[in-house]
Amino acid sequence: MFRLLRWRLGRTLLRAAGRRCGGCTARLLPERAGDAGPGAERLRTRGAPARGHRVLPLLAALAWFSRTAAAEEQPGEDATDEAEAEIIQLLKRAKLSIMKDEPEAAELILHDALRLAYESDNKKAITYTYDLMANLAFIRGQLENAEQLFKATMSYLLGGGMKQEDNAIVEISLKLANIYAAQNKQEFALAGYEFCISTLEGKIEREKELAEDIMSEERANTYLLLGMCLDSCARYLLFSKQLSQAQRMYEKALQICQEIQGERHPQTIVLMSDLATALDAQGHFDDAYIYMQRASDLAREINHPELHMVLSNLAAILIHRERYTQAKEIYQEALKQAELKRDEFSVQHIREELAELSRKSRLLT
């Protein structure tokens, strides 16, 4: 069947972290012969030959909500203590280096910040610095290092009295689950996703009893974090070819995103495309088309940053429904959008899909 861009599970790590790092994908899950990781294997639509057009989930780096897991533990901006003021300046410099894609410089600065935090026994600074170091390792694809740093961050948060159901703890647990998924540690990954989802669902139920009609910012963030957990779990299930389970997770995630962020939000559109992917992989081409068509309409309306990918997915589903002329038109539109975005990888991919579609059309005539 006709395929989409060969994204890897590693990109999900960036998305879950609320980050984007161009070029990091290969470091997260290098593609090489014999790679057994879940991100290295392409999904195939049921009954499809080994070569052809396939639809894979969009892994756009669109955060559900942007915040650092240990944000509540950040040192105060109005610090008068000289050591704490110096730590804050170092952390700001580290963040700037990360934004400028200078990870080596950021790492050195963070080590200086951590040393000062320990010397001054500033537990909030220690926790926050560990969290930044963990996210940096996460972004760079240093998964084992990121795992240890996230565990250290969690240990400090729990040791400081934070409850296990706190969103910050769940968010770190989600990142750990994504790391295990990328390392193909299925038992740990699924256990991590289950912990995150069940913890948040229980928390939401208890909050409903306390304030049925109130949707505070914190409560909205809890819903969105649940959606992100469902989304990450669904993607892992999809790569693991547990397709019906992935579909159910995507349906729940999409419902949450629509309710909290609205139908036109970029993340909602990504989830529509992802749900269509799960349906398409099961051979439910008509249902997949409904979701993908809606996603593409909305993506055009808001000029979605991944419009070309949504369109490419739509074209692949049209081919599965044997609508070759329409598929060619959509691929051509996707190609123009990819060229405008200067996404060379997507441009090459879409051109290959058009060439394959042309060969297929000649065989049918």
Side-chain angles (χ1 to χ4, degrees), residues 26-210:
R27 291 197 294 272
L28 284 165
L29 278 177
E31 188 175 330
R32 55 185 184 272
D35 193 342
E41 185 173 358
R42 296 187 189 186
L43 279 175
R44 188 180 307 163
T45 305
R46 186 173 55 189
R51 167 70 179 146
H53 295 236
R54 304 183 187 95
V55 183
L56 289 181
L58 296 185
L59 301 187
L62 297 166
W64 287 70
F65 58 95
S66 297
R67 75 176 180 85
T68 309
E72 297 173 8
E73 297 297 313
Q74 183 175 7
E77 295 290 337
D78 57 348
T80 56
D81 180 81
E82 184 177 341
E84 185 166 338
E86 186 175 355
I87 293 169
I88 290 172
Q89 290 304 313
L90 287 170
L91 294 176
K92 288 180 177 179
R93 285 175 53 202
K95 288 181 183 179
L96 181 61
S97 294
I98 293 172
M99 292 174 62
K100 293 167 65 177
D101 196 20
E102 298 174 352
E104 292 83 4
E107 185 174 5
L108 291 173
I109 295 169
L110 286 172
H111 277 291
D112 286 340
L114 187 62
R115 175 180 54 79
L116 283 175
Y118 269 110
E119 288 176 355
S120 59
D121 195 28
N122 189 325
K123 290 182 172 55
K124 286 187 177 181
I126 292 171
T127 303
Y128 189 70
T129 305
Y130 267 132
D131 188 66
L132 280 180
M133 293 174 74
N135 278 293
L136 178 59
F138 202 30
I139 291 169
R140 299 177 73 186
Q142 299 170 352
L143 301 185
E144 292 182 2
N145 188 28
E147 177 188 355
Q148 297 306 314
L149 289 166
F150 278 131
K151 287 180 177 178
T153 305
M154 186 183 294
S155 177
Y156 269 95
L157 291 173
L158 292 171
M162 185 173 285
K163 295 181 179 179
Q164 197 172 27
E165 68 173 18
D166 190 278
N167 286 357
I169 298 297
V170 175
E171 189 177 342
I172 294 174
S173 299
L174 174 60
K175 292 174 184 177
L176 287 169
N178 284 331
I179 288 172
Y180 297 138
Q183 294 172 330
N184 204 23
K185 297 179 180 178
Q186 184 176 31
E187 183 178 355
F188 290 124
L190 292 177
Y193 292 133
E194 172 60 27
F195 165 78
C196 294
I197 292 168
S198 61
T199 298
L200 291 173
E201 287 179 339
K203 182 178 179 179
I204 288 169
E205 282 301 313
R206 289 191 295 275
E207 289 179 348
K208 279 183 179 178
E209 297 175 1
L210 296 174

Side-chain angles (χ1 to χ4, degrees), residues 330-348:
I330 297 297
Y331 268 136
Q332 289 172 338
E333 182 184 355
L335 180 59
K336 290 180 181 178
Q337 290 293 326
E339 289 172 340
L340 286 173
K341 297 284 172 52
R342 297 182 179 179
D343 185 344
E344 295 180 4
F345 186 71
S346 295
V347 167
Q348 179 182 350

